[in-house]
Amino acid sequence: MPPQANEVSQNSQAACDCLSTSFPDKTLLRGTPAYELARSQYWTRVQQEASPACIFQPVDAPDVSAALLILKQFNCPFAIKSGGHGKFHGESSIDNGVTIDLAYINHINLSEDGRTVVVGPGNRWREVYMALQPFGLTAIGGRASTVGVGGFLLGGTLRIFDKDGGISFFTNIYGFAMDNIRSFEVVLADGSVVNADKQTSPDLYKALRGSGANLGIVTSFTLDTIPYTGMYGGHRIFEPRQSEAVMSAFLKYGDNIQKDPKAFVILAITTEEEKWIWATGMYYCDKLMDAPAFRDLKAIPAVLDDSQVQEQTDLIESMASSYPCSIQNTFWVLSTKPNAHILRYMVKTWAEEMNHVREVEGMKAQLAIQYFSDGVIMRGTRRGGNALGSSIEEPFIMYNAEPQWAHAEDTPRVLAAVEAAFRRTEAEAKRCAVLVDYLYSNYASQYQDPFGSYSQQARVFIKRTADKYDPDGVFQRLRGAGFKLTGTLSSATAKEELERRKTLHLNL
C-alpha cells in the first residue's frame, strides 16, 4: 500500500537524511539556493510550485540504483524528472516526496559508424541535434528545443510541441520516436541495472516503448541516427474568413501524405491580440522551398509567411518560443478518423467554449491539429512492436488543446471550458462513428486515462511485464508523479472541480 498522508512527511525526511549522508553533493535540501534553482527548471509554473522534501541529482545509473533502494527502504514517494516539460502539477513533480532529477545524466555519444547515438535522459533535444548536425545526422526527437529527452521518448506514441513518445518532424518517414530506440539502460525496482533490447529482454524492451515510467528509471537510450540535409519550415497566418479554404487544404494535404512523407503540417486555430487566426506550421525534411505537399495551403493568401530554408536547430528554437516557461497551461487530446464534418465541428466547438474565457488575462486559446498516415502506425511494428498494441490501421487526425493564460486563479474555468469542447466533440465523433480510441499520453490531461485507450491485449501485456520486473509494485505504489497503468490522475472531472471551488467560495 502507498504510505498514508501522515506517514509521507516522516518517511520523506528519513529518506532525504539518508540520501544527504550518502550523497551530500547530489542531494538538494529545502531552503538552499541549489534546491530553488532546481525547482525553477520546470516548464510550467504549477510544476515549479511543487515542494519536494529534497531533490536528488544522480550522475549515472549506479546513483539512481542506490537512491531507488533508499526510497524503497523508507517507503518514500518519489517523482522522476527528465526535462520537466510536463504541463500539470504532479506530472514529473511531487510535494513532500523526493524528486529524482536526471538533469546531469546528459551524455551524448555517437557510435564510430555514425549509425547510433547514446543519449542520457537529462539532455534537451537542442543539445542532441547540435551534437549530431555537424556530422550530417539527426535523430527522431522533439520539435521544441526545451523538451527533455527522457519524458519525450517514454511517453505514449505521439505529443504536439512536444513531450512523450514522440512526434518528430520526421514522424511520417520514420514513425514515432519510441520506434527508433535500439536499446534502453534501465534501473529496475530491485536496483539492478539492465540493458533492454529486442534480443536480450524483448518483453521489457517492448513494454518500455510506450509505458512511460511504469517499469523503471531509464538512464540511457541508444537511438537510430538518420541523414540530415537541412530543413524548410515556418508559419503561414490566415484570417478566420478563410477557414473553409484552410481546412480543405489541410485535408487535401492529409489525403496525399503518403506521396511525400517528408512534409509535415501542424494546423492551429488560436487567438492573437483578442482575435481568432489560423496559424499553420509547414515543415519539410529537406531544403526544398516549393514542396507540392504545401501547394494548396500556399495558394491561400496569407497575412504573414515566415517559412524559409533553415536548420532544424533554428526551427526548434522558434517552436519553443511559442511555449514560454513559467506560464499556466493545459493539454487535452482527442483522435478521430479524417472527417471534414468533425474537423469543422471541433473548430467551431473550440471557439464557442473558449470564447467563455477569452477575457482571462494572457489567454492564448490554441488548438493544434495534426494528420498521421497509416504508415506511421505500420512502422511501430518494427523490432517486435511497441507497448501500445494499437488497433489503428488507417490514417487519423489528432486534436490537441494547448491554451496558455497568466494566473492560477483562472485555471478551473479554463480547464472546464477545454473539457467541455473536447467532451462535445468526442460525443459527436462517436455519433458519426469516426472516434479513434487512442489518447497520446504526452498530450493527455490529468483528467484523461491514456493507458485506458490501449488495446486490451496491450494492457494485459504491460501489466504482466510490470508484475515480472516490479513484483512489489514500487512504480505503482511509490512513484507519485505521472500516469500510472490504471486510471486518471484526477479523481474528478474539470467541471466537477470548478463546481466544487465555486461552492467552497460561496461558503467562505
Side-chain angles (χ1 to χ4, degrees), residues 410-436:
D410 295 312
T411 295
R413 287 182 59 216
V414 176
L415 294 182
V418 172
E419 180 180 58
F422 274 71
R423 298 297 187 204
R424 288 173 59 188
T425 305
E426 180 181 2
E428 181 66 7
K430 282 183 179 178
R431 188 187 70 80
C432 297
V434 296
L435 183 68
V436 172

Side-chain angles (χ1 to χ4, degrees), residues 368-410:
I369 307 164
Q370 298 178 92
Y371 201 120
F372 296 93
S373 71
D374 51 359
V376 172
I377 305 302
M378 290 186 291
R379 290 180 184 94
T381 62
R382 293 193 307 150
R383 297 173 180 153
N386 56 50
L388 301 178
S390 176
S391 59
I392 304 173
E393 297 178 351
E394 299 177 297
F396 66 99
I397 291 178
M398 183 177 295
Y399 299 91
N400 171 223
E402 44 189 28
Q404 306 169 13
W405 61 100
H407 303 300
E409 56 263 32
D410 295 312

Side-chain angles (χ1 to χ4, degrees), residues 87-222:
K87 60 276 184 194
F88 53 80
H89 185 282
E91 189 163 0
S92 56
S93 57
I94 194 169
D95 288 320
N96 297 320
V98 173
T99 296
I100 302 175
D101 181 0
L102 304 176
Y104 291 102
I105 304 182
N106 57 358
H107 52 274
I108 303 174
N109 300 316
L110 182 64
S111 65
E112 288 190 11
D113 62 8
R115 297 176 64 183
T116 61
V117 61
V118 180
V119 299
N123 286 291
R124 310 292 175 109
W125 286 105
R126 173 200 297 117
E127 285 73 42
V128 177
Y129 298 152
M130 289 180 67
L132 296 176
Q133 192 167 292
F135 299 94
L137 299 169
T138 190
I140 309 301
R143 295 173 294 183
S145 62
T146 53
V147 170
V149 164
F152 176 87
L153 290 174
L154 290 172
T157 34
L158 329 160
R159 177 177 185 173
I160 218 165
F161 291 115
D162 268 291
K163 204 184 140 209
D164 0 87
I167 305 174
S168 162
F169 292 124
F170 298 84
T171 285
N172 282 319
I173 309 172
Y174 297 99
F176 299 124
M178 65 178 177
D179 297 319
N180 292 272
I181 302 173
R182 292 278 187 101
S183 66
F184 304 83
E185 179 187 75
V186 57
V187 180
L188 299 177
D190 64 359
S192 61
V193 181
V194 303
N195 187 72
D197 58 28
K198 184 181 177 181
Q199 286 72 40
T200 60
S201 307
D203 55 350
L204 180 59
Y205 171 70
K206 180 177 179 179
L208 284 169
R209 296 163 71 193
S211 63
N214 281 288
L215 299 175
I217 302 176
V218 176
T219 51
S220 197
F221 302 86
T222 301

Side-chain angles (χ1 to χ4, degrees), residues 337-354:
K337 296 177 182 179
N339 183 278
H341 166 67
I342 292 299
L343 175 59
R344 294 188 185 98
Y345 187 94
M346 176 81 253
V347 170
K348 176 177 177 289
T349 304
W350 177 254
E352 288 175 353
E353 295 295 343
M354 297 311 292

Side-chain angles (χ1 to χ4, degrees), residues 257-450:
I257 200 169
Q258 288 284 51
K259 294 180 181 179
D260 192 356
K262 288 185 177 182
F264 202 104
V265 171
I266 302 172
L267 185 64
I269 182 77
T270 187
T271 51
E272 190 74 33
E273 297 180 353
E274 300 184 356
K275 65 179 181 180
W276 287 98
I277 61 169
W278 287 97
T280 305
M282 300 183 303
Y283 306 96
Y284 199 80
C285 300
D286 206 343
K287 293 181 178 180
L288 181 61
M289 294 186 63
D290 299 313
F294 303 140
R295 185 173 296 137
D296 292 299
L297 284 166
K298 286 195 169 186
I300 305 170
V303 176
L304 180 147
D305 185 348
D306 64 4
S307 55
Q308 59 183 312
V309 171
Q310 52 188 310
E311 300 293 353
Q312 183 181 20
T313 47
D314 297 321
L315 285 171
I316 64 171
E317 292 295 346
S318 175
M319 186 81 78
S321 69
S322 298
Y323 298 84
C325 297
S326 303
I327 55 172
Q328 306 291 334
N329 64 19
T330 189
F331 277 57
W332 205 290
V333 68
L334 176 71
S335 299
T336 75
K337 296 177 182 179
N339 183 278
H341 166 67
I342 292 299
L343 175 59
R344 294 188 185 98
Y345 187 94
M346 176 81 253
V347 170
K348 176 177 177 289
T349 304
W350 177 254
E352 288 175 353
E353 295 295 343
M354 297 311 292
N355 278 337
H356 296 317
V357 291
R358 281 280 300 281
E359 85 286 354
V360 167
E361 185 177 346
M363 172 55 67
K364 181 180 179 181
Q366 181 154 301
L367 172 73
I369 307 164
Q370 298 178 92
Y371 201 120
F372 296 93
S373 71
D374 51 359
V376 172
I377 305 302
M378 290 186 291
R379 290 180 184 94
T381 62
R382 293 193 307 150
R383 297 173 180 153
N386 56 50
L388 301 178
S390 176
S391 59
I392 304 173
E393 297 178 351
E394 299 177 297
F396 66 99
I397 291 178
M398 183 177 295
Y399 299 91
N400 171 223
E402 44 189 28
Q404 306 169 13
W405 61 100
H407 303 300
E409 56 263 32
D410 295 312
T411 295
R413 287 182 59 216
V414 176
L415 294 182
V418 172
E419 180 180 58
F422 274 71
R423 298 297 187 204
R424 288 173 59 188
T425 305
E426 180 181 2
E428 181 66 7
K430 282 183 179 178
R431 188 187 70 80
C432 297
V434 296
L435 183 68
V436 172
D437 189 18
Y438 169 59
L439 299 176
Y440 174 49
S441 67
N442 282 343
Y443 296 159
S445 83
Q446 62 267 49
Y447 305 103
Q448 295 183 288
D449 179 12

Side-chain angles (χ1 to χ4, degrees), residues 67-82:
L68 189 55
L69 293 176
I70 289 171
L71 296 171
K72 284 177 57 180
Q73 176 186 348
F74 292 101
N75 203 32
C76 175
F78 62 90
I80 308 164
K81 172 184 173 289
S82 169

